[in-house]
Amino acid sequence: MTGGGLPSYAVRTEIQDGVAVLTLDVPGEPVNTLNRGVRDEFVAIIDRLERDASIEAAVLISGKAENFIAGADIEEFLPLETAADAERLSRSGQMLLDSLERVRVPVVAAIHGACLGGGLETALACSYRIATDHPKTVLGLPEVQLGIIPGAGGTQRLPQLVGLPEALDMILSSRNVRAKKALKTGLVDEVVHPAILRQIAVRRARELVRGTRRPSRGATGARAALMDRNPLGRMLVLKKARETVQKRTKGHYPAPFAALRAVETGLARGSAEGYREEARLFGEMAVTNVSRQLVYLFFASTALKKDPGVDEPGVKPRPVSKLGILGAGFMGAGIASVAVQQGTLVRMKDADHARVGKGFAAVRKVVEERLKKRQITRTQFEDTLALLGGTVDYSGFGNVDLVIEAVFEDINVKHQVLREVEAVLPEHAVFATNTSTIPISRIAEAAARPSQVVGMHFFSPVHKMPLLEVITGEATAPDVTATAVAYGKKLGKTVIVVNDGPGFYVNRILFPYINEAGRLIDQGAAIHEVDRALVDFGFPVGPITLVDEVGGDVASHAARIMFDAFSDRFEPSKTLDAAVAAGRYGRKSKKGFYLYDEKGEKGGVDESVYELTPAGAARSEFSADEIQQRCVFAMLNEAARCLEDGIIRSPRDGDAGAVFGIGFPPFRGGPFRYIDTIGVEILVQQLDELNVRFPGRFQPAELLSRLARSGAKFHPAGSRP
Ligand code: 3H9
């Protein structure tokens, strides 16, 4: 073995019997990215591969333990000012990978760990791809999630390799594929155990030189070629994809359409045109406001992943290997389902066997979904369920490290279970409450060890909703907070730490929005118009549909708690109260604001509900603008108050909490980014106007008025989350 001889920044070159093994390991970074330094080094390496006659083949492998290449360096997108700047970045990426594809010697990509975006585009330009069968090995083009499109040839090479339908699925959904699936679609040529990756890659490189193995064309190369020759089939696939994208994005996200255009251009007019169009559209997309917000959210979530949740240095979270759950209802079972999937031993308690049994069935259903999708094997499925135990008393709670209560939202019930469980818990155990509205400090009043009481507010359905709100009470010890944060991250959640107060952060900003929607109905607005206006704004569902989903009784109970705490500003709508009094609890009772069939499938608005509103059956016109302004501005104003009151620690947490907790439109970046976009001065002016029409409800938060006077922003230009 001989050394490479080139001065190296991130790539170590070893030449093994004519095969150059190129090990990429960007110094000081947790993942490899194709940053400027790496790109410059690749240029030099490709040049050497071209000229050095002693090299017959090459292997590209990563030196990181669990990452191949995470893509282009997203940091480099931040200073891009014009579409032309971004187009140049794409062009230079394309040219680099073009020279890799054409280089004199075969290059084998040896993939272990995440191979994403520009990382996959690099692998696509290699002659042969081998991936490891490790769960950390995933391949994907997540660019549209950042509001951009693959810009280093991905829109051109991927369809050629795996065929149009599979390529569109990967590009438009940003879905990662695992090695097994990648082998099936022809994205990789071979799957091996990580221990032999390098050895097999070097062997394949030699075989490619000898001609005993041919460079890959993908398993579906023939099918792809067929597609190329069949413009009608191509047109149909593209048309269907465009319709699906339109339905999914509701027109708010331009990148998937741009990606479709780039793919289509390459297929219809050849790859030279295709590459040109890809670069042009990458440039256009990279400087859209949508992309800026999505990139911001990417950095906000990675910053939160590293955040221990406490400011005190040296605080260590307590280990959690056994979890107790009180309450086997929807939330309790939901939490159990994610906990067992992370390997935690779970003991779930409820008042009687029937409820515990129902909880078990709910956990089983969630885990079964993964089995059906073949994400886990039957043995893994059984091993996962074996971690769950049930009880109707506190047996087995004597050795849990963390207990999460998810019982009825009533202070007396919470106090009772806290007293009961504390009597059997070990001294070190943390007691977390999944309350959604009651202050933690009030719950902790019943505790013998109040410093070990913390809030862990999960969102429903727990296995799908990405946010966890950790709430610190007055007495909560820092290591208890750190424990809740660390465990929440282990469950795969994005965690924000908030201070105590009614509704904490997420529900505190949600209720002014829901109440305002209800008041619009009180005044005579049509239910479907209120919902439609807010879906058009970018929420996943409208506020009235949300009430039906959550349960009118639950929503109205929580709304009442918020009203008691904050009075007028949180006055619930008369319609919601009346609907609940009439037994309209939403989907679960098959009677709510909407109609539901026998199976609980939602139909149109149940017009009979209008009789219960102060305006009676007659409905009047409200513009989408008015609906959006009143509901959303109420939310923004309350978010600013939460920051002012110290409920949230930063605008970043407020943005992430709203996006990941209630589906605030990601393309708007979150409430604080959105306020910056509107301009705080304009927001204050419009709040003032609304406050004249609806006295007391829209009084601008003091913080907003102050910012409006100083002209400052929540996120000053150039700041990083
Ligand atoms: C692209 O490729 C465009 C091309 O088509 C064309 C160009 C012309 N850039 O998430 P983690 C940082 S677009 C910069 O906590 P994990 C991250 O910020 C790119 N930084 O680790 C964090 O930094 P810090 C398409 C990046 O193990 C640290 O690495 N690619 C990048 O949970 C650790 O990250 C993507 O969208 C990046 N590309 O997950 C992939 N990636 O320590 C985005 C990571 O300072 N990345 N960082 O806080 C991911 O999905 C995950 O980070 C990954 C690792 C799965 C790789």
Side-chain angles (χ1 to χ4, degrees):
M1 195 184 287
T2 58
L6 280 175
S8 133
Y9 151 66
V11 183
R12 196 174 65 245
T13 307
E14 292 159 84
I15 300 175
Q16 206 178 318
D17 228 0
V19 178
V21 179
L22 313 167
T23 307
L24 175 64
D25 192 352
V26 177
E29 297 292 338
V31 299
N32 286 325
T33 62
L34 299 173
N35 64 24
R36 171 168 280 283
V38 170
R39 295 198 303 274
D40 288 349
E41 200 166 355
F42 272 2
V43 170
I45 288 170
I46 292 168
D47 187 51
R48 180 171 177 200
L49 296 182
E50 203 59 69
R51 291 162 191 271
D52 187 340
S54 70
I55 298 176
E56 294 175 330
V59 166
L60 176 62
I61 195 163
S62 164
K64 303 283 180 211
E66 286 178 342
N67 175 264
F68 178 66
I69 302 173
D73 182 357
I74 301 169
E75 296 254 3
E76 287 182 7
F77 301 163
L78 300 176
L80 293 173
E81 277 184 7
T82 64
D85 289 344
E87 184 174 342
R88 262 193 298 279
L89 186 73
S90 166
R91 263 314 207 186
S92 78
Q94 287 177 349
M95 271 147 55
L96 177 68
L97 295 187
D98 183 59
S99 58
L100 176 65
E101 187 174 46
R102 290 166 190 272
V103 73
R104 179 184 57 88
V105 300
V107 182
V108 175
I111 303 162
H112 175 67
C115 170
L116 302 174
L120 180 57
E121 291 174 303
T122 304
L124 289 174
C126 292
S127 331
Y128 194 83
R129 285 158 291 281
I130 310 175
T132 66
D133 56 2
H134 192 274
K136 287 271 179 186
T137 299
V138 288
L139 301 95
L141 291 175
E143 283 86 346
V144 300
Q145 247 172 15
L146 296 169
I148 52 172
I149 67 169
T155 65
Q156 307 303 304
R157 288 193 183 92
L158 191 63
Q160 295 300 332
L161 189 67
V162 300
L164 184 59
E166 181 59 30
L168 288 181
D169 186 47
M170 283 184 70
I171 295 170
L172 301 178
S173 73
S174 287
R175 229 192 316 274
N176 290 342
V177 300
R178 293 186 181 221
K180 213 165 119 190
K181 167 98 191 280
L183 181 65
K184 220 158 119 190
T185 61
L187 182 57
V188 300
D189 301 283
E190 211 170 331
V191 174
V192 299
H193 190 273
I196 54 167
L197 177 64
R198 178 180 163 133
Q199 179 195 340
I200 296 291
V202 169
R203 188 182 303 162
R204 298 294 175 255
R206 287 214 184 88
E207 289 168 2
L208 287 166
V209 175
R210 272 192 244 116
T212 51
R213 189 169 292 267
R214 296 173 63 82
S216 134
R217 278 209 57 222
T220 50
R223 200 164 4 123
L226 206 68
M227 177 88 66
D228 273 356
R229 287 199 298 271
N230 177 3
L232 193 64
R234 215 164 59 202
M235 243 169 58
L236 281 176
V237 174
L238 288 163
K239 181 167 172 280
K240 183 96 203 345
R242 200 163 279 121
E243 284 165 7
T244 311
V245 167
Q246 179 58 35
K247 222 187 268 164
R248 206 165 49 208
T249 63
K250 303 191 176 80
H252 292 307
Y253 296 87
F257 293 102
L260 267 168
R261 269 206 304 281
V263 170
E264 190 173 13
T265 305
L267 290 176
R269 288 193 260 140
S271 57
E273 277 289 313
Y275 283 116
R276 241 193 308 281
E277 188 66 349
E278 180 187 87
R280 188 185 72 74
L281 289 164
F282 176 92
E284 210 174 88
M285 292 300 115
V287 293
T288 55
N289 187 47
V290 171
S291 176
R292 302 277 190 216
Q293 304 299 2
L294 296 177
V295 166
Y296 158 76
L297 284 173
F298 168 75
F299 285 120
S301 359
T302 51
L304 280 167
K305 279 195 215 170
K306 280 200 304 190
D307 188 337
V310 289
D311 296 330
E312 296 83 348
V315 174
K316 291 245 171 333
R318 303 175 187 191
V320 176
S321 54
K322 187 168 175 195
L323 172 71
I325 294 181
L326 300 176
F330 198 55
M331 291 308 284
I335 297 164
S337 74
V338 289
V340 288
Q341 289 186 66
Q342 292 310 319
T344 310
L345 209 54
V346 178
R347 188 96 176 136
M348 184 164 67
K349 175 194 178 296
D350 210 317
D352 54 55
H353 290 289
R355 285 181 222 211
V356 175
K358 236 173 131 183
F360 259 70
V363 174
R364 190 186 171 88
K365 199 166 160 215
V366 171
V367 187
E368 219 163 33
E369 247 176 63
R370 299 203 56 206
L371 176 68
K372 279 190 194 142
K373 288 188 189 153
R374 301 185 180 206
Q375 290 166 344
I376 52 171
T377 62
R378 177 146 294 273
T379 314
Q380 285 168 325
F381 168 73
E382 274 153 17
D383 289 351
T384 303
L385 286 184
L387 292 171
L388 182 64
T391 174
V392 292
D393 54 28
Y394 288 98
S395 62
F397 277 68
N399 61 352
V400 304
D401 307 299
L402 168 68
V403 58
I404 303 178
E405 73 75 14
V407 299
F408 187 62
E409 191 76 346
D410 177 287
I411 186 71
N412 297 320
V413 182
K414 305 266 187 207
H415 277 169
Q416 189 192 336
V417 297
L418 171 52
R419 282 196 200 95
E420 286 173 5
V421 76
E422 245 192 351
V424 295
L425 284 179
E427 283 278 309
H428 75 273
V430 169
F431 177 92
T433 163
N434 178 50
T435 175
S436 50
T437 46
I438 308 173
I440 307 305
S441 303
R442 272 196 71 201
I443 295 177
E445 280 166 8
R449 297 184 288 270
S451 66
Q452 284 170 221
V453 176
V454 68
M456 284 178 86
H457 179 207
F458 289 88
F459 294 80
S460 162
V462 180
H463 66 289
K464 290 210 174 124
M465 294 299 286
L467 188 76
L468 169 67
E469 204 176 14
V470 166
I471 308 110
T472 55
E474 270 163 33
T476 310
D479 68 326
V480 169
T481 306
T483 303
V485 170
Y487 190 63
K489 287 186 204 166
K490 186 176 170 199
L491 298 183
K493 302 298 172 198
T494 297
V495 186
I496 60 167
V497 175
V498 305
N499 260 318
D500 208 2
F504 321 119
Y505 173 64
V506 174
N507 277 337
R508 184 157 156 198
I509 65 167
L510 182 64
F511 275 97
Y513 162 88
I514 286 184
N515 287 342
E516 201 53 40
R519 273 190 293 255
L520 279 154
I521 314 289
D522 289 355
Q523 281 179 272
I527 289 172
H528 67 280
E529 276 174 9
V530 171
D531 271 354
R532 188 168 53 211
L534 290 151
V535 169
D536 285 350
F537 180 80
F539 282 99
V541 295
I544 309 297
T545 299
L546 184 66
V547 169
D548 262 8
E549 292 298 324
V550 171
D553 53 337
V554 176
S556 130
H557 182 69
R560 196 50 51 192
I561 292 177
M562 301 300 289
F563 180 47
D564 290 347
F566 295 106
S567 64
D568 297 358
R569 206 166 80 235
F570 277 75
E571 192 185 346
S573 83
K574 307 226 169 2
T575 303
L576 177 58
D577 284 346
V580 171
R584 291 173 181 262
Y585 294 170
R587 185 195 289 277
K588 65 183 170 192
S589 65
K590 301 199 182 90
K591 199 166 173 61
F593 291 97
Y594 286 86
L595 294 163
Y596 295 90
D597 67 13
E598 280 303 289
K599 287 197 216 126
E601 290 295 317
K602 183 173 161 229
V605 170
D606 184 348
E607 307 259 336
S608 66
V609 81
Y610 290 138
E611 305 286 351
L612 303 171
T613 70
R619 293 291 103 185
S620 28
E621 281 268 317
F622 283 77
S623 72
D625 268 359
E626 161 134 17
I627 296 168
Q628 291 169 351
Q629 209 186 44
R630 283 173 56 180
C631 295
V632 176
F633 284 9
M635 180 184 270
L636 300 181
N637 201 17
E638 204 57 38
R641 281 180 210 271
C642 287
L643 186 60
E644 188 169 37
D645 295 351
I647 295 292
I648 45 174
R649 297 174 301 169
S650 62
R652 173 203 73 186
D653 286 10
D655 287 332
V659 169
F660 300 120
I662 47 183
F664 190 93
F667 66 92
R668 300 188 192 273
F672 294 95
R673 291 283 290 200
Y674 185 51
I675 295 174
D676 283 348
T677 305
I678 309 172
V680 72
E681 232 176 308
I682 293 173
L683 175 64
V684 168
Q685 194 191 330
Q686 298 194 346
L687 282 169
D688 279 333
E689 282 170 24
L690 284 170
N691 206 36
V692 171
R693 289 172 60 202
F694 309 104
R697 289 218 304 266
F698 289 95
Q699 177 69 40
E702 183 45 42
L703 175 63
L704 290 177
S705 304
R706 243 188 357 258
L707 283 182
R709 282 193 296 273
S710 69
K713 285 185 165 227
F714 286 109
H715 298 280
S719 66
R720 267 282 307 271

